[in-house]
């Protein structure tokens, strides 16, 4: 550690942070895989189970790519490819969370043309990610640590839209959980 004002200050190296990050990501990937396998092996699945599996699949894509990025961190081209693949999960998680909330509220929905406009921004975001090297509208400067990112002009559109979808999805989950089970039920508290 370093000394400052007569006190020893513990210096956390970036490699220590990466080791902790690696461990947390590994645990997350294993937990997500376990949940995915458990839900997929259930019999008599309903629509809510399938949309939850979609959430798990997107989380798995995101998490496994981040884990692999830590493993191959010295190979910048591979890290960027993994970043692009991880954005498939990142970009579609908000819309799958929205559908999780809607399906939870209504028990079952029929997917129809009326839901297609919800996919415009996520698909545009995915195109922006995969073509970013030509315009830098999504990311101007890449960094593995999120505080080092410099985001492009389109990124703010993606972020606002994603958070709106997440909030609406969580609203549906919370509101209908309280309505169906009561405020103090285990389901609502969770």
């Amino acid at each position: 550690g370093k000394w400052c004002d007569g006190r020893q200050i513990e210096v956390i190296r970036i490699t220590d942070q990466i080791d902790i990050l690696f461990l947390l990501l590994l645990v997350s990937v294993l937990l997500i895989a376990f949940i995915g396998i458990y839900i997929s092996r259930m019999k008599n699945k309903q629509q809510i189970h399938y949309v939850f599996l979609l959430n798990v699949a997107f989380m798995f894509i995101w998490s496994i790519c981040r884990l692999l990025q830590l493993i191959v961190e010295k190979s910048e081209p591979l890290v960027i490819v993994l970043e692009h693949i991880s954005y498939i999960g990142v970009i579609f998680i908000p819309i799958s969370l929205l559908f999780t909330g809607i399906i939870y509220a209504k028990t079952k929905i029929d997917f129809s043309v009326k839901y297609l406009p919800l996919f415009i921004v996520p698909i545009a975001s995915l195109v922006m990610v995969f073509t970013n090297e030509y315009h830098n509208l999504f990311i101007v400067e890449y960094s593995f640590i999120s505080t080092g990112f410099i985001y492009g002009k389109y990124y703010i559109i993606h972020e606002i839209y994603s958070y709106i979808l997440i909030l609406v999805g969580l609203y549906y989950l919370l509101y209908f959980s309280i309505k169906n089970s009561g405020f103090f039920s285990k389901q609502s508290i969770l």
Side-chain angles (χ1 to χ4, degrees), residues 1-50:
K2 292 185 176 180
W3 290 89
C4 179
D5 298 332
R7 294 176 295 167
Q8 187 176 13
I9 298 173
E10 185 65 31
V11 177
I12 298 175
R13 297 172 300 157
I14 190 74
T15 55
D16 293 338
Q17 291 175 350
I18 289 175
D19 290 341
I20 292 167
L21 184 60
F22 180 82
L23 182 63
L24 290 173
L25 276 170
L26 182 61
V27 169
S28 295
V29 165
L30 292 173
L31 184 61
I32 291 166
F34 173 77
I35 291 169
I37 291 167
Y38 179 80
I39 298 293
S40 66
R41 296 190 70 186
M42 287 176 59
K43 295 181 182 353
N44 302 323
K45 287 188 276 298
Q46 297 174 357
Q47 195 175 36
I48 191 77
H49 295 107
Y50 290 109

Side-chain angles (χ1 to χ4, degrees), residues 4-6 24 38 43 55 57 77 82 98 110 128 146 158 177-178 184-186 190:
C4 179
D5 298 332
L24 290 173
Y38 179 80
K43 295 181 182 353
N55 287 323
L82 288 168
L98 173 69
D110 292 324
M128 291 291 184
S146 63
H158 162 76
S177 178
I178 291 169
F184 292 106
S185 70
K186 290 179 188 177
L190 177 63

Side-chain angles (χ1 to χ4, degrees), residues 46-56 96 99-100 103:
Q46 297 174 357
Q47 195 175 36
I48 191 77
H49 295 107
Y50 290 109
V51 77
F52 185 74
L53 272 174
L54 197 58
N55 287 323
V56 169
S96 67
F99 279 113
T100 301
I103 292 168

Side-chain angles (χ1 to χ4, degrees), residues 32-87:
I32 291 166
F34 173 77
I35 291 169
I37 291 167
Y38 179 80
I39 298 293
S40 66
R41 296 190 70 186
M42 287 176 59
K43 295 181 182 353
N44 302 323
K45 287 188 276 298
Q46 297 174 357
Q47 195 175 36
I48 191 77
H49 295 107
Y50 290 109
V51 77
F52 185 74
L53 272 174
L54 197 58
N55 287 323
V56 169
F58 290 139
M59 287 298 297
F60 186 78
I61 291 168
W62 185 2
S63 298
I64 195 76
C65 286
R66 296 300 276 179
L67 183 66
L68 291 172
Q69 282 178 315
L70 282 175
I71 293 170
V72 299
E73 68 182 309
K74 302 287 188 242
S75 173
E76 187 175 324
L78 189 52
V79 168
I80 299 299
V81 167
L82 288 168
E83 183 72 15
H84 288 160
I85 295 169
S86 76
Y87 268 105

